[in-house]
Amino acid sequence: MRPLRSAEVIAVGSELLTPSRLDTNSLFLADRLRAIGILLRTKAVVGDRADDLDAVLRASLGRSDLVVLTGGLGPTDDDLTRTVVAAALKRPLHEDTAISESIRQRFARRALTMPEINRRQAMVPEGATVLPNAHGTAPGLYLEVGEHVVVLLPGPPRELEPMFDAVVRDHLRARTAGTRVYTRIVRVFGRSESHTEEAVRPFYGPWASMALPIEVTILAARGAIDLHLTVNAPDETAAGEVLVPAVRQVVEAIGDDVYSDDGEAIEQVLARQVTTRGWRIGVAESCTGGLIAKRLTDFPGSSAFVEGGVVSYSNAMKTRLLGVPEALLAAHGAVSEPVAEAMADGIRARSSAEVGISVTGIAGPDGGTAAKPVGTVVFAVVTPDARVVRTRTYPSFGRELVRDVASHAALDMARRLIAGLRVP
Ligand code: ATP
Ligand code: MG
């Protein structure tokens, strides 16, 4: 039989269509399925309506090898997954007395009589394998339908998750090609999503036609771009043979804007750069309000290279804590290259940090002028051997995003300066 490669998850339940409940089962399943080489192709959330579920199920079976339905296996009238699947697959339902007996005993253990409606949970489509539920009444069901597999799992994550790990995975693995999904993440800062795509697009064709084809996804968040290169491979060595050269191609095409070729955070990259030199970092922040210091200290072990930071929001504090001359502030304004540089020099002079990083800017929504609009941010980085001062504008980003992107930009500027790269 053809190995299972593609999957869909259908989360059933009208409550999942309200603002108060989120379908998390599909996230869990996406992760577990990747690990056994099955990629999620589509997912759906369907309310408790037989006709809708029937239509979505048929569409999924037309596209994908595996369909996992979650929820709607309970005993009440609105739990219709079992009956809809049985009807669509033309598998008549029969009561499995072993199941009804075990549900009866579950009730009995709590000195209760089983309501008759719970017998619905013992109804099994012809040819289905029953998946025991260690944490609830509704068993799961596993069905082979020609080349396809259909799995029904209970909705509550505390029932579904252990059931998947205990029994579903092994059933599915017996039907896969024995591969798993391997991903390498290349992280980029300093160019847009479309410029990133433009640089790597020429590889897409060759990658897609390899014996182990590479799939590419581009994720943009908070000014940074992540490129995910994914391959379905029998083992790590085979995956590496495909992914390592591909990652090298990406790094060559994108150049200095790549700050990590293995999914590392910018803070970790910078941490490595400074610790290998025996340096420490001090930060002087205005508009980022301590965000850079927070980001640098989010990782365990940061005390090895973080000296500390100053949040100097007012001019007075820039002068008192960092020694920025009042005359400089008066002449150029707080958001200016001379002041940013003086802040970076100031934090170095007042601490034992070798690397001084400073940020001063106008995060908005107020405070902009024609010469310095909202979103203007000035950065300075000073090391024992180099210094850089730059002005950037992030128009229409909004306060939060300006601060986020500015903090990333400051860290990235430090990375480039320390590595001896050109800082654009
Ligand atoms: P039960 O026998 O407990 O009724 P069931 O299979 O019928 O199980 P549902 O009634 O659909 O499951 O859902 C029960 C609860 O499980 C929901 O209230 C919700 O909290 C949770 N749940 C259902 N589906 C999901 C999902 N896709 N993601 C996260 N939680 C879910
Ligand atoms: Mg239910």
Side-chain angles (χ1 to χ4, degrees):
M1 257 187 297
R2 193 159 50 87
L4 300 178
R5 291 195 181 280
S6 58
E8 311 212 357
V9 172
I10 305 175
V12 185
S14 294
E15 79 278 9
L16 301 171
L17 295 168
T18 67
S20 59
R21 269 272 199 276
L22 200 60
D23 153 45
T24 56
N25 287 341
S26 64
L27 307 181
F28 169 84
L29 291 165
D31 174 65
R32 290 299 200 270
L33 293 172
R34 284 173 82 80
I36 53 170
I38 302 174
L39 271 180
L40 203 55
R41 175 165 171 175
T42 294
K43 64 179 176 178
V45 176
V46 184
D48 301 315
R49 275 188 56 147
D51 50 351
D52 287 351
L53 181 54
D54 179 72
V56 171
L57 173 64
R58 284 174 199 277
S60 297
L61 282 169
R63 276 189 300 257
S64 296
D65 305 329
L66 165 68
V67 180
V68 183
L69 298 102
T70 83
L73 293 181
T76 58
D77 262 348
D78 58 0
D79 291 312
L80 37 76
T81 306
R82 184 184 294 103
T83 48
V84 170
V85 171
L89 303 179
K90 302 196 174 58
R91 300 284 187 94
L93 287 161
H94 302 292
E95 181 171 345
D96 180 327
T97 48
I99 300 174
S100 27
E101 195 41 45
S102 89
I103 299 175
R104 207 181 299 281
Q105 281 166 12
R106 262 186 96 86
F107 278 96
R109 280 200 295 275
R110 289 183 287 153
L112 298 166
T113 355
M114 181 185 82
E116 272 307 288
I117 58 163
N118 276 86
R119 283 176 63 191
R120 288 187 192 179
Q121 294 184 294
M123 300 301 285
V124 173
E126 218 162 80
T129 304
V130 174
L131 311 170
N133 185 344
H135 302 89
T137 51
L141 296 165
Y142 177 95
L143 286 119
E144 308 224 325
V145 186
E147 299 272 280
H148 297 269
V149 170
V150 177
V151 181
L152 282 64
L153 299 176
R158 55 175 292 277
E159 298 179 26
L160 173 145
E161 293 177 8
M163 186 184 289
F164 188 95
D165 290 338
V167 286
V168 182
R169 189 202 336 262
D170 287 342
H171 279 290
L172 294 177
R173 195 148 44 190
R175 289 287 315 270
T176 67
T179 59
R180 56 162 293 171
V181 176
Y182 295 86
T183 301
R184 279 285 296 266
I185 301 174
V186 180
R187 314 194 81 173
V188 177
F189 189 83
R191 67 172 70 196
S192 69
E193 187 175 7
S194 35
H195 283 109
T196 305
E197 160 111 349
E198 207 162 61
V200 294
R201 204 180 3 227
F203 308 133
Y204 289 4
W207 286 349
S209 57
M210 292 190 301
L212 295 179
I214 297 178
E215 279 192 29
V216 188
T217 13
I218 298 191
L219 280 128
R222 320 241 136 207
I225 314 286
D226 285 352
L227 269 166
H228 291 228
L229 307 191
T230 299
V231 70
N232 219 331
D235 55 48
E236 184 141 15
T237 312
E241 277 164 17
V242 178
L243 290 177
V244 170
V247 165
R248 200 176 309 127
Q249 282 178 294
V250 171
V251 172
E252 272 167 25
I254 298 179
D256 296 352
D257 289 346
V258 172
Y259 63 85
S260 169
D261 64 5
D262 64 357
E264 254 191 327
I266 185 81
E267 296 85 348
Q268 294 172 294
V269 174
L270 192 56
R272 203 155 17 75
Q273 286 180 299
V274 295
T275 41
T276 56
R277 289 167 174 80
W279 290 352
R280 298 170 66 78
I281 301 178
V283 287
E285 300 184 63
S286 180
C287 68
T288 45
L291 186 54
I292 298 175
K294 183 212 176 282
R295 289 180 60 154
L296 286 171
T297 51
D298 274 345
F299 292 88
S302 53
S303 58
F305 68 93
V306 178
E307 176 71 8
V310 163
V311 180
S312 54
Y313 222 58
S314 69
N315 286 358
M317 291 293 265
K318 289 185 180 69
T319 301
R320 204 177 311 152
L321 293 179
L322 297 168
V324 178
E326 277 172 27
L328 206 65
L329 286 157
H332 303 279
V335 180
S336 65
E337 298 200 347
V339 167
E341 197 169 0
M343 288 168 68
D345 283 329
I347 192 72
R348 287 184 79 223
R350 280 157 178 71
S351 70
S352 55
E354 286 81 4
V355 181
I357 301 177
S358 73
V359 179
T360 172
I362 305 156
D366 308 314
T369 63
K372 293 174 189 169
V374 165
T376 302
V377 183
V378 189
F379 304 86
V381 182
V382 179
T383 73
D385 4 272
R387 59 177 56 225
V388 66
V389 188
R390 291 288 183 270
T391 303
R392 302 261 190 272
T393 43
Y394 305 111
S396 70
F397 272 29
R399 190 174 173 80
E400 270 316 298
L401 193 54
V402 168
R403 287 153 61 109
D404 270 354
V405 175
S407 66
H408 202 130
L411 298 169
D412 190 64
M413 238 172 248
R415 166 188 75 88
R416 290 180 202 245
L417 188 73
I418 294 170
L421 304 172
R422 198 182 62 84
V423 180

mmCIF file of all heavy atoms in Angstrom, residues 282-315:
data_model
loop_
_atom_site.group_PDB
_atom_site.id
_atom_site.type_symbol
_atom_site.label_atom_id
_atom_site.label_comp_id
_atom_site.label_asym_id
_atom_site.label_seq_id
_atom_site.Cartn_x
_atom_site.Cartn_y
_atom_site.Cartn_z
ATOM 1 N N GLY A 282 26.646 46.308 27.658
ATOM 2 C CA GLY A 282 25.850 47.257 28.433
ATOM 3 C C GLY A 282 24.894 47.961 27.489
ATOM 4 O O GLY A 282 25.253 48.256 26.349
ATOM 5 N N VAL A 283 23.679 48.208 27.932
ATOM 6 C CA VAL A 283 22.721 48.862 27.045
ATOM 7 C C VAL A 283 22.203 50.161 27.657
ATOM 8 O O VAL A 283 22.042 50.272 28.877
ATOM 9 C CB VAL A 283 21.520 47.945 26.675
ATOM 10 C CG1 VAL A 283 21.944 46.877 25.709
ATOM 11 C CG2 VAL A 283 20.893 47.330 27.892
ATOM 12 N N ALA A 284 21.984 51.127 26.782
ATOM 13 C CA ALA A 284 21.405 52.403 27.187
ATOM 14 C C ALA A 284 20.181 52.620 26.324
ATOM 15 O O ALA A 284 20.282 52.794 25.117
ATOM 16 C CB ALA A 284 22.413 53.524 26.969
ATOM 17 N N GLU A 285 19.005 52.543 26.946
ATOM 18 C CA GLU A 285 17.784 52.532 26.146
ATOM 19 C C GLU A 285 16.888 53.708 26.480
ATOM 20 O O GLU A 285 16.697 54.054 27.632
ATOM 21 C CB GLU A 285 16.989 51.245 26.423
ATOM 22 C CG GLU A 285 17.740 49.986 26.105
ATOM 23 C CD GLU A 285 16.882 48.748 26.313
ATOM 24 O OE1 GLU A 285 15.864 48.615 25.614
ATOM 25 O OE2 GLU A 285 17.223 47.940 27.190
ATOM 26 N N SER A 286 16.335 54.266 25.425
ATOM 27 C CA SER A 286 15.295 55.264 25.633
ATOM 28 C C SER A 286 13.960 54.677 25.161
ATOM 29 O O SER A 286 13.222 54.097 25.945
ATOM 30 C CB SER A 286 15.660 56.553 24.892
ATOM 31 O OG SER A 286 14.666 57.505 25.095
ATOM 32 N N CYS A 287 13.683 54.740 23.855
ATOM 33 C CA CYS A 287 12.339 54.367 23.394
ATOM 34 C C CYS A 287 12.036 52.877 23.553
ATOM 35 O O CYS A 287 10.870 52.482 23.549
ATOM 36 C CB CYS A 287 12.130 54.804 21.956
ATOM 37 S SG CYS A 287 13.140 53.895 20.785
ATOM 38 N N THR A 288 13.028 52.024 23.682
ATOM 39 C CA THR A 288 12.746 50.596 23.850
ATOM 40 C C THR A 288 12.481 50.242 25.319
ATOM 41 O O THR A 288 12.112 49.102 25.624
ATOM 42 C CB THR A 288 13.893 49.720 23.296
ATOM 43 O OG1 THR A 288 15.133 50.271 23.728
ATOM 44 C CG2 THR A 288 13.863 49.668 21.784
ATOM 45 N N GLY A 289 12.675 51.196 26.203
ATOM 46 C CA GLY A 289 12.218 51.048 27.591
ATOM 47 C C GLY A 289 12.730 49.817 28.323
ATOM 48 O O GLY A 289 12.052 49.288 29.201
ATOM 49 N N GLY A 290 13.884 49.323 27.977
ATOM 50 C CA GLY A 290 14.422 48.156 28.681
ATOM 51 C C GLY A 290 14.226 46.848 27.931
ATOM 52 O O GLY A 290 14.652 45.783 28.391
ATOM 53 N N LEU A 291 13.592 46.945 26.773
ATOM 54 C CA LEU A 291 13.292 45.720 26.014
ATOM 55 C C LEU A 291 14.565 44.982 25.584
ATOM 56 O O LEU A 291 14.612 43.745 25.603
ATOM 57 C CB LEU A 291 12.442 46.091 24.791
ATOM 58 C CG LEU A 291 11.904 44.962 23.935
ATOM 59 C CD1 LEU A 291 11.117 43.954 24.772
ATOM 60 C CD2 LEU A 291 11.009 45.534 22.829
ATOM 61 N N ILE A 292 15.587 45.739 25.227
ATOM 62 C CA ILE A 292 16.826 45.076 24.784
ATOM 63 C C ILE A 292 17.467 44.337 25.965
ATOM 64 O O ILE A 292 17.889 43.187 25.836
ATOM 65 C CB ILE A 292 17.805 46.104 24.184
ATOM 66 C CG1 ILE A 292 17.158 46.757 22.957
ATOM 67 C CG2 ILE A 292 19.130 45.447 23.813
ATOM 68 C CD1 ILE A 292 17.981 47.870 22.349
ATOM 69 N N ALA A 293 17.481 45.007 27.114
ATOM 70 C CA ALA A 293 18.042 44.346 28.302
ATOM 71 C C ALA A 293 17.226 43.106 28.639
ATOM 72 O O ALA A 293 17.768 42.052 28.989
ATOM 73 C CB ALA A 293 18.045 45.320 29.478
ATOM 74 N N LYS A 294 15.912 43.220 28.519
ATOM 75 C CA LYS A 294 15.052 42.065 28.788
ATOM 76 C C LYS A 294 15.381 40.929 27.828
ATOM 77 O O LYS A 294 15.561 39.785 28.249
ATOM 78 C CB LYS A 294 13.579 42.450 28.635
ATOM 79 C CG LYS A 294 12.648 41.301 28.964
ATOM 80 C CD LYS A 294 11.374 41.336 28.144
ATOM 81 C CE LYS A 294 10.506 40.131 28.413
ATOM 82 N NZ LYS A 294 10.952 38.907 27.740
ATOM 83 N N ARG A 295 15.457 41.249 26.546
ATOM 84 C CA ARG A 295 15.715 40.200 25.557
ATOM 85 C C ARG A 295 17.058 39.525 25.807
ATOM 86 O O ARG A 295 17.184 38.304 25.663
ATOM 87 C CB ARG A 295 15.675 40.793 24.144
ATOM 88 C CG ARG A 295 14.265 41.175 23.715
ATOM 89 C CD ARG A 295 14.239 41.751 22.318
ATOM 90 N NE ARG A 295 14.738 40.786 21.339
ATOM 91 C CZ ARG A 295 14.399 40.782 20.059
ATOM 92 N NH1 ARG A 295 13.553 41.688 19.603
ATOM 93 N NH2 ARG A 295 14.890 39.902 19.232
ATOM 94 N N LEU A 296 18.059 40.319 26.158
ATOM 95 C CA LEU A 296 19.382 39.730 26.396
ATOM 96 C C LEU A 296 19.392 38.850 27.641
ATOM 97 O O LEU A 296 20.192 37.917 27.745
ATOM 98 C CB LEU A 296 20.434 40.832 26.528
ATOM 99 C CG LEU A 296 20.846 41.529 25.227
ATOM 100 C CD1 LEU A 296 21.726 42.727 25.523
ATOM 101 C CD2 LEU A 296 21.578 40.545 24.304
ATOM 102 N N THR A 297 18.506 39.164 28.586
ATOM 103 C CA THR A 297 18.512 38.387 29.835
ATOM 104 C C THR A 297 17.438 37.312 29.846
ATOM 105 O O THR A 297 17.237 36.645 30.849
ATOM 106 C CB THR A 297 18.320 39.320 31.051
ATOM 107 O OG1 THR A 297 17.164 40.145 30.818
ATOM 108 C CG2 THR A 297 19.525 40.198 31.272
ATOM 109 N N ASP A 298 16.733 37.140 28.721
ATOM 110 C CA ASP A 298 15.707 36.091 28.650
ATOM 111 C C ASP A 298 16.308 34.695 28.638
ATOM 112 O O ASP A 298 15.614 33.721 28.914
ATOM 113 C CB ASP A 298 14.848 36.267 27.379
ATOM 114 C CG ASP A 298 13.692 37.230 27.599
ATOM 115 O OD1 ASP A 298 13.387 37.518 28.773
ATOM 116 O OD2 ASP A 298 13.098 37.687 26.607
ATOM 117 N N PHE A 299 17.585 34.611 28.283
ATOM 118 C CA PHE A 299 18.206 33.298 28.164
ATOM 119 C C PHE A 299 19.018 32.974 29.416
ATOM 120 O O PHE A 299 19.716 33.847 29.930
ATOM 121 C CB PHE A 299 19.116 33.246 26.933
ATOM 122 C CG PHE A 299 18.341 33.324 25.660
ATOM 123 C CD1 PHE A 299 18.027 34.551 25.103
ATOM 124 C CD2 PHE A 299 17.885 32.176 25.037
ATOM 125 C CE1 PHE A 299 17.285 34.635 23.935
ATOM 126 C CE2 PHE A 299 17.141 32.240 23.872
ATOM 127 C CZ PHE A 299 16.837 33.477 23.324
ATOM 128 N N PRO A 300 18.943 31.736 29.876
ATOM 129 C CA PRO A 300 19.760 31.367 31.019
ATOM 130 C C PRO A 300 21.242 31.542 30.661
ATOM 131 O O PRO A 300 21.629 31.367 29.518
ATOM 132 C CB PRO A 300 19.423 29.892 31.261
ATOM 133 C CG PRO A 300 18.606 29.432 30.113
ATOM 134 C CD PRO A 300 18.121 30.630 29.382
ATOM 135 N N GLY A 301 22.026 31.919 31.633
ATOM 136 C CA GLY A 301 23.462 32.097 31.373
ATOM 137 C C GLY A 301 23.809 33.498 30.925
ATOM 138 O O GLY A 301 24.965 33.783 30.598
ATOM 139 N N SER A 302 22.811 34.409 30.920
ATOM 140 C CA SER A 302 23.090 35.747 30.402
ATOM 141 C C SER A 302 24.028 36.543 31.314
ATOM 142 O O SER A 302 24.676 37.485 30.870
ATOM 143 C CB SER A 302 21.789 36.509 30.159
ATOM 144 O OG SER A 302 21.005 36.492 31.320
ATOM 145 N N SER A 303 24.112 36.142 32.580
ATOM 146 C CA SER A 303 24.992 36.897 33.482
ATOM 147 C C SER A 303 26.453 36.814 33.031
ATOM 148 O O SER A 303 27.271 37.639 33.412
ATOM 149 C CB SER A 303 24.860 36.394 34.918
ATOM 150 O OG SER A 303 25.165 35.027 34.956
ATOM 151 N N ALA A 304 26.760 35.819 32.201
ATOM 152 C CA ALA A 304 28.136 35.680 31.717
ATOM 153 C C ALA A 304 28.535 36.820 30.791
ATOM 154 O O ALA A 304 29.721 37.094 30.631
ATOM 155 C CB ALA A 304 28.298 34.344 30.988
ATOM 156 N N PHE A 305 27.559 37.476 30.169
ATOM 157 C CA PHE A 305 27.951 38.504 29.193
ATOM 158 C C PHE A 305 27.127 39.786 29.256
ATOM 159 O O PHE A 305 27.404 40.728 28.524
ATOM 160 C CB PHE A 305 27.911 37.925 27.774
ATOM 161 C CG PHE A 305 26.515 37.599 27.309
ATOM 162 C CD1 PHE A 305 25.778 38.514 26.584
ATOM 163 C CD2 PHE A 305 25.933 36.372 27.621
ATOM 164 C CE1 PHE A 305 24.489 38.215 26.171
ATOM 165 C CE2 PHE A 305 24.649 36.072 27.213
ATOM 166 C CZ PHE A 305 23.927 37.001 26.488
ATOM 167 N N VAL A 306 26.084 39.807 30.107
ATOM 168 C CA VAL A 306 25.299 41.041 30.222
ATOM 169 C C VAL A 306 25.766 41.804 31.451
ATOM 170 O O VAL A 306 25.711 41.296 32.572
ATOM 171 C CB VAL A 306 23.781 40.755 30.327
ATOM 172 C CG1 VAL A 306 23.016 42.074 30.497
ATOM 173 C CG2 VAL A 306 23.288 40.025 29.093
ATOM 174 N N GLU A 307 26.247 43.037 31.215
ATOM 175 C CA GLU A 307 26.715 43.864 32.314
ATOM 176 C C GLU A 307 25.519 44.558 32.976
ATOM 177 O O GLU A 307 25.421 44.607 34.200
ATOM 178 C CB GLU A 307 27.713 44.892 31.758
ATOM 179 C CG GLU A 307 28.237 45.889 32.749
ATOM 180 C CD GLU A 307 29.185 45.291 33.771
ATOM 181 O OE1 GLU A 307 29.564 44.116 33.617
ATOM 182 O OE2 GLU A 307 29.533 45.997 34.728
ATOM 183 N N GLY A 308 24.620 45.062 32.173
ATOM 184 C CA GLY A 308 23.439 45.731 32.714
ATOM 185 C C GLY A 308 22.970 46.783 31.758
ATOM 186 O O GLY A 308 23.461 46.875 30.630
ATOM 187 N N GLY A 309 22.001 47.552 32.201
ATOM 188 C CA GLY A 309 21.463 48.560 31.301
ATOM 189 C C GLY A 309 20.846 49.714 32.051
ATOM 190 O O GLY A 309 20.589 49.640 33.254
ATOM 191 N N VAL A 310 20.630 50.787 31.311
ATOM 192 C CA VAL A 310 20.020 51.984 31.860
ATOM 193 C C VAL A 310 18.851 52.339 30.956
ATOM 194 O O VAL A 310 18.989 52.323 29.746
ATOM 195 C CB VAL A 310 21.060 53.138 31.866
ATOM 196 C CG1 VAL A 310 20.372 54.483 32.024
ATOM 197 C CG2 VAL A 310 22.093 52.913 32.960
ATOM 198 N N VAL A 311 17.703 52.607 31.578
ATOM 199 C CA VAL A 311 16.586 53.127 30.795
ATOM 200 C C VAL A 311 16.545 54.626 31.068
ATOM 201 O O VAL A 311 16.095 55.066 32.119
ATOM 202 C CB VAL A 311 15.248 52.462 31.171
ATOM 203 C CG1 VAL A 311 14.110 53.042 30.333
ATOM 204 C CG2 VAL A 311 15.333 50.959 30.978
ATOM 205 N N SER A 312 17.093 55.389 30.140
ATOM 206 C CA SER A 312 17.191 56.837 30.350
ATOM 207 C C SER A 312 16.170 57.509 29.447
ATOM 208 O O SER A 312 16.450 57.827 28.311
ATOM 209 C CB SER A 312 18.604 57.304 30.016
ATOM 210 O OG SER A 312 18.952 56.876 28.709
ATOM 211 N N TYR A 313 14.983 57.659 30.008
ATOM 212 C CA TYR A 313 13.886 58.160 29.182
ATOM 213 C C TYR A 313 13.961 59.680 29.051
ATOM 214 O O TYR A 313 13.820 60.207 27.962
ATOM 215 C CB TYR A 313 12.562 57.708 29.804
ATOM 216 C CG TYR A 313 11.551 57.221 28.795
ATOM 217 C CD1 TYR A 313 11.848 56.160 27.936
ATOM 218 C CD2 TYR A 313 10.304 57.813 28.687
ATOM 219 C CE1 TYR A 313 10.933 55.710 27.001
ATOM 220 C CE2 TYR A 313 9.378 57.364 27.758
ATOM 221 C CZ TYR A 313 9.695 56.316 26.914
ATOM 222 O OH TYR A 313 8.783 55.878 25.992
ATOM 223 N N SER A 314 14.185 60.338 30.168
ATOM 224 C CA SER A 314 14.223 61.809 30.114
ATOM 225 C C SER A 314 15.627 62.289 29.758
ATOM 226 O O SER A 314 16.611 61.560 29.918
ATOM 227 C CB SER A 314 13.818 62.381 31.473
ATOM 228 O OG SER A 314 14.833 62.090 32.425
ATOM 229 N N ASN A 315 15.696 63.542 29.296
ATOM 230 C CA ASN A 315 17.010 64.136 29.024
ATOM 231 C C ASN A 315 17.860 64.176 30.282
ATOM 232 O O ASN A 315 19.067 63.916 30.250
ATOM 233 C CB ASN A 315 16.843 65.561 28.470
ATOM 234 C CG ASN A 315 16.365 65.540 27.025
ATOM 235 O OD1 ASN A 315 16.198 64.464 26.435
ATOM 236 N ND2 ASN A 315 16.136 66.704 26.458
#
